[in-house]
Amino acid sequence: MYILGINAAFHDSAAALVKDGRIIAAAEDERFTHIKHGKRPIPFSSYELPFHAIDYCLKEAGITLNDIQQFAYSFDPSLIDTSKESSNENKLNNNQTIYGEWDLLFSDYLKQAPAHLTDGYPHHLQKRFVDAGPLQDKWHFVQHHLAHAASAFYPSPFESAAVLTLDGRGEKVSTGYYYGEGNKLSTIAEVQMPHSLGMLYEKITTYLGFLHSSDEYKVMALASYGKPIYVDELRSWIKYDDNGIYTIDDIDLTSVWGKGRKKDDSFDELHFNIAHSLQKVLEETVLKLVHWLYEQTKSENLCMAGGVALNCVSNSYIRDNGPFKNVWVQPAAGDAGTALGAALWLAAQQNEYKSSRTKSFATMDHVYYGPEYTDDEVEKFLKWTKVPYRKMTNVAKETAEILAENKIIGWFQGRMEYGPRALGSRSILASPIDPGMQSKLNDIKDREDFRPVAPVVLEEDASEWFEDAIVSPYMLFVFDVKPDKADKIPAVRHVDGTARVQTINRKQHAIYYDLLKEFKAITGVPVLVNTSFNTRGEPIVCTPRDAIECFWTSPFDALIINSFLLEK
Ligand SMILES: [Fe+2]
């Protein structure tokens, strides 16, 4: 049975196609439309569906919309309170609102999604749209946090696990506690909006002059430069009741710290210290929640999802200080992952799965669920564009030689990644040996100077280069660079001595793994710098055309697409 999962309510619009418990395809709409995050999370854009991502999923399976038996949409508009009795004033007073006076519009837009999918299917994509008739009978709205929880538990390597979801907002919930066992996922407790660690992080992201619901990872990077000056203040705003429930005071930040930073202002100590204090308080609060969840479940496994679970520093704090033996985080932990989660949650409700005492879903051990291109397709395009290129005989070896010459390359291989991280399919790669490489890359990508770049390391060599490193294929955890290796890979060592590591094995991505092997053979270093193949404000590239456009308009030295090398 084909189930199509859709995320579209807020942002990070995405689609995921699941068949008989297996992931067939999953992708974010931004990669096709070139609009970062798909859209801004505002009520007026909530009707927009990820048509391009949906279309790609259908194409990958060679099917049309008619072949989809069930549709799972990762937000349930019936859970938003838009009744007349609940006036806008009341709603605003108790803050049980998402968009204030626009909640009704928001909820109406979402309810019309089935009709929009059939009637709005773009003309140029209609090859894969055959009149599917009304979809209402096949359509399911899945509670947002259940979708996050399902995305964390079902593809995890565990038969049973505690599950924690943390994001900005759902219909009413901001934090969810669950227990998964076999195909069953039960809710233990929920924290209601407006109390939300995600929204607190967003609010401070805005205060620091960044774009909320987008640039939170920059605040995390900024935190490493600060001191915990404001932890007492931040702590005092968060009240925790020892039952897993917390509240957060609605504080006017300008009354505490003065006027916020504007987008183009420079950074000073205040900004670094606020970011640092926020990070510390986030970590200690999440740790409390995790301890409470452990007491309820006594499981040795923890799964996490939701935008806050993209905070790799906080994840690592939980891993190192929490009560759980194993921690698995859904790599598409943000809202994009709810497309997959909604589809998996719906699959688990089907009769054939309901009775099963063991989990019927394949473990997700990579994120390569997006489009790929054959050598024939790529070469046809290269010839058409008249760009100079040559076909390589040994891609891994020749690319490693280029990297060992300290050149910076675009690397385009295999199926595109699902989730926010480039993990070797659409990456910019460089040597970590050059201490100046971080600033060179930040310059090439037009990024802020404080932004770190991250390493990919051969899985079998990870523990030799990073303290207590374990398998970590998604860059969702940090590890300390071993002191005796620090001067060998200076480019990937953040100011606090850590690195956000991706480990890679051959099963996950053969050519990427082979490249690291060859680089190690030349340099003795089994590590490369891996950053996403995009420039500032642009989503990660998807097609060979995107890659070539990005390459020729940025100062990279070379581009490798499949077997083909383009050099400047
Ligand atoms: Fe979410």
Side-chain angles (χ1 to χ4, degrees), residues 45 66 100 161 278 314 318 334 337 371 383 388 484 507 562:
S45 69
N66 299 49
L278 171 66
S314 157
I318 300 309
K383 278 188 173 145
D484 63 325
K507 216 172 129 214
N562 291 22

Side-chain angles (χ1 to χ4, degrees), residues 406-542:
N406 215 29
K407 289 183 173 167
I408 296 170
I409 65 157
W411 174 253
F412 184 110
Q413 301 287 341
R415 293 186 73 177
M416 186 179 71
E417 300 89 344
Y418 180 46
R421 306 264 177 269
L423 296 169
S425 285
R426 305 288 185 274
S427 289
I428 293 170
L429 303 177
S431 167
I433 302 166
D434 173 6
M437 190 54 81
Q438 180 216 0
S439 79
K440 271 189 213 166
L441 283 166
N442 279 343
D443 181 47
I444 279 183
K445 295 186 74 180
D446 191 20
R447 307 192 322 172
E448 298 88 345
D449 298 340
F450 64 85
R451 304 267 300 278
V453 288
V456 53
V457 58
L458 290 170
E459 188 180 289
E460 61 269 28
D461 291 333
S463 59
E464 225 180 277
W465 289 73
F466 303 96
E467 294 287 358
D468 302 321
I470 48 167
V471 174
S472 178
Y474 307 124
M475 287 187 164
L476 284 165
F477 294 93
V478 294
F479 300 91
D480 289 333
V481 177
K482 284 208 164 174
D484 63 325
K485 300 288 194 248
D487 61 345
K488 293 195 169 76
I489 49 171
V492 294
R493 192 172 171 272
H494 198 25
V495 288
D496 58 5
T498 64
R500 194 183 64 193
V501 175
Q502 176 194 7
T503 61
I504 189 79
N505 65 42
R506 199 162 197 284
K507 216 172 129 214
Q508 286 158 339
H509 202 314
I511 186 75
Y512 189 38
Y513 174 88
D514 291 347
L515 170 62
L516 275 144
K517 272 274 199 204
E518 293 290 350
F519 187 76
K520 182 186 175 187
I522 300 169
T523 63
V525 175
V527 179
L528 284 171
V529 179
N530 166 36
T531 180
S532 53
F533 194 163
N534 63 337
T535 48
R536 192 178 199 162
E538 286 290 319
I540 296 172
V541 301
C542 174

Side-chain angles (χ1 to χ4, degrees), residues 293-308:
L293 181 57
Y294 177 75
E295 289 308 315
Q296 312 311 305
T297 59
K298 296 287 181 192
S299 174
E300 60 179 28
N301 306 317
L302 173 67
C303 299
M304 292 199 290
V308 179

